[in-house]
């Protein structure tokens, strides 16, 4: 008796996908709440860690609004942990079980407590600007992990198939590297500026004008590379979604660049600085979207039914 060829039906991850997206959004939100802590001078609103005070894990009325802002930022970590572990269990319980999703969910779930520890070190070091910078960059890494998990849900587990030639893929990776460099130098710029998170916190000692110029130069390079990538994709008639992803990245970069220049020439008003920090997360996400659009990952080919049927299935088929 012959068996019809089995096709691998895509499982509807009705719970997993929204959880992964929520985790991605929440990690971006952590950057915004972290910005609120710094820009309101609340970095030492809870002057110690892991407790908020020597006698209490929570803020007290005597600590005022700064304590509330800092403690609120700490509470968001618990939301991130809850989302990460819920995502892990959703990946674990879904069928067919996929190792790639489980691994990514574990990486994110472990990264969030690590991020919390680094946040504690920033408090214990009185907001050392280099430690604060690492704290921010860990959020960027977590966003990358969450984005990878979210996108992998709708992909198969076969070997990735490139959609564009190797030189263009190389250009895209160079663009992504410069995007990360822009964010990193932006962190250093912040560490040299006035928004330390507390009046007594030290700065990194670099000249703000000089490091800001380096940051601006990298931004121009990033926009130039992104525009070149967009034209290259159009020249080879790349898939529409790939060209669109590159176009969105350019628009995001222009918006982020405008905010950056306005905030610099208006002497860093707190609302624009907060918008610029959120823009960094959005720019990084748009960069990841471009990289993801350059390849496809189909489902693995269905195995031979005679090799996968159990004796019970073989008899009853």
């Amino acid at each position: 008796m012959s068996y019809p060829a089995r096709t691998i039906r895509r499982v509807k991850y009705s719970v997993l996908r929204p959880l992964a997206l929520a985790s991605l959004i929440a990690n971006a939100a952590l950057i915004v709440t972290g910005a609120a802590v710094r820009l309101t001078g609340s970095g030492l609103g809870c002057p110690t860690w892991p407790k908020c005070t020597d006698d209490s894990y929570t803020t007290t009325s005597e600590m005022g609004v700064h304590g509330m802002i800092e403690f609120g930022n700490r509470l968001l970590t618990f939301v991130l942990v809850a989302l990460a572990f819920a995502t892990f269990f959703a990946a674990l319980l879904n069928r067919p079980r996929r190792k790639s999703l489980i691994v990514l969910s574990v990486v994110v779930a472990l990264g969030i407590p690590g991020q919390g520890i680094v946040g504690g070190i920033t408090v214990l070091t009185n907001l050392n600007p280099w430690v604060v910078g690492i704290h921010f960059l860990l959020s960027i890494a977590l966003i990358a992990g969450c984005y990878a998990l979210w996108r992998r849900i709708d992909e198969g587990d076969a070997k990735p198939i490139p959609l564009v030639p190797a030189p263009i893929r190389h250009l895209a990776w160079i663009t992504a590297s410069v995007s990360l460099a822009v964010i990193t130098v932006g962190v250093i710029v912040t560490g040299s500026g006035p928004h330390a998170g507390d009046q007594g916190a030290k700065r990194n000692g670099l000249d703000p004008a000089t490091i800001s110029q380096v940051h601006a130069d990298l931004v121009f390079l990033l926009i130039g590379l992104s525009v070149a990538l967009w034209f290259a994709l159009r020249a080879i008639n790349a898939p529409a979604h790939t060209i669109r992803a590159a176009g969105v990245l350019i628009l995001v970069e222009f918006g982020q660049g405008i905010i950056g220049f306005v905030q610099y020439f208006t002497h860093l008003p707190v609302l624009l600085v907060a918008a610029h920090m959120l823009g960094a997360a959005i720019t990084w996400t748009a960069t990841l979207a471009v990289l993801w659009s350059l390849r496809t990952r189909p489902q693995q080919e269905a195995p031979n039914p005679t090799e996968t049927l159990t004796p019970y299935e073989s008899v009853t088929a």
Side-chain angles (χ1 to χ4, degrees):
M1 180 178 180
S2 62
Y3 298 94
R6 287 186 175 182
T7 58
I8 298 180
R9 182 172 60 87
R10 184 170 298 235
V11 177
K12 293 181 178 179
Y13 292 90
S14 57
V15 176
L16 179 56
R17 199 172 194 279
L19 281 173
L21 179 60
S23 188
L24 172 62
I25 294 172
N27 275 279
L30 183 64
I31 290 178
V32 178
T33 61
V37 169
R38 165 169 285 196
L39 297 172
T40 58
S42 305
L44 295 177
C46 288
T48 187
W49 185 89
K51 292 183 176 181
C52 193
T53 69
D54 291 335
D55 302 318
S56 175
Y57 281 97
T58 62
T59 184
T60 62
S61 58
E62 292 80 7
M63 301 172 70
V65 66
H66 293 309
M68 294 177 60
I69 293 172
E70 164 64 8
F71 185 67
N73 186 56
R74 293 188 183 190
L75 287 179
L76 182 57
T77 300
F78 292 98
V79 175
L80 297 179
V81 169
L83 284 171
F85 278 93
T87 304
F88 165 72
F89 285 114
L92 195 63
L93 295 174
N94 266 287
R95 295 295 183 274
R97 183 177 291 172
R98 295 173 59 190
K99 181 179 178 181
S100 60
L101 299 182
I102 294 174
V103 169
L104 283 169
S105 63
V106 168
V107 169
V108 172
L110 294 178
I112 292 171
Q115 171 77 315
I117 292 172
V118 175
I121 294 173
T122 66
V123 174
L124 298 177
T125 57
N126 293 318
L127 307 181
N128 181 290
W130 299 107
V131 180
V132 173
I134 293 173
H135 191 45
F136 181 88
L137 292 176
L138 281 174
S139 288
I140 294 297
L142 281 170
I143 287 174
C146 292
Y147 185 84
L149 174 60
W150 180 57
R151 291 296 299 265
R152 287 289 288 119
I153 291 170
D154 286 335
E155 294 182 326
D157 287 318
K159 184 177 179 180
I161 300 174
L163 298 176
V164 298
I168 294 182
R169 297 199 304 274
H170 296 159
L171 175 59
W173 278 102
I174 292 172
T175 303
S177 299
V178 174
S179 178
L180 184 58
V182 167
I183 293 171
T184 303
V185 176
V187 170
I188 298 174
V189 171
T190 303
S192 69
H195 298 299
D198 184 80
Q199 291 182 352
K202 295 182 179 180
R203 301 287 72 207
N204 59 28
L206 299 175
D207 178 54
T210 301
I211 195 65
S212 295
Q213 184 61 58
V214 174
H215 181 61
D217 292 342
L218 285 172
V219 169
F220 285 123
L221 176 60
L222 175 60
I223 292 176
L225 288 170
S226 301
V227 171
L229 178 61
W230 184 79
F231 276 111
L233 291 170
R234 287 183 59 88
I236 65 167
N237 292 319
H241 74 279
T242 303
I243 299 173
R244 183 167 57 250
V248 169
L249 176 60
I250 293 171
L251 292 176
V252 170
E253 289 168 353
F254 269 109
Q256 176 73 334
I258 291 171
I259 293 173
F261 278 106
V262 172
Q263 72 163 4
Y264 180 80
F265 289 109
T266 55
H267 307 292
L268 306 177
V270 293
L271 290 180
L272 284 181
V273 174
H276 199 53
M277 293 180 71
L278 175 60
I282 296 173
T283 301
W284 181 234
T285 304
T287 302
L288 296 173
V290 171
L291 294 179
W292 232 264
S293 72
L294 300 178
R295 90 285 189 280
T296 184
R297 200 162 190 169
Q299 299 285 359
Q300 291 179 336
E301 294 182 0
N304 189 328
T306 59
E307 296 176 355
T308 59
L309 291 176
T310 63
Y312 174 80
E313 289 173 324
S314 297
V315 170
T316 58

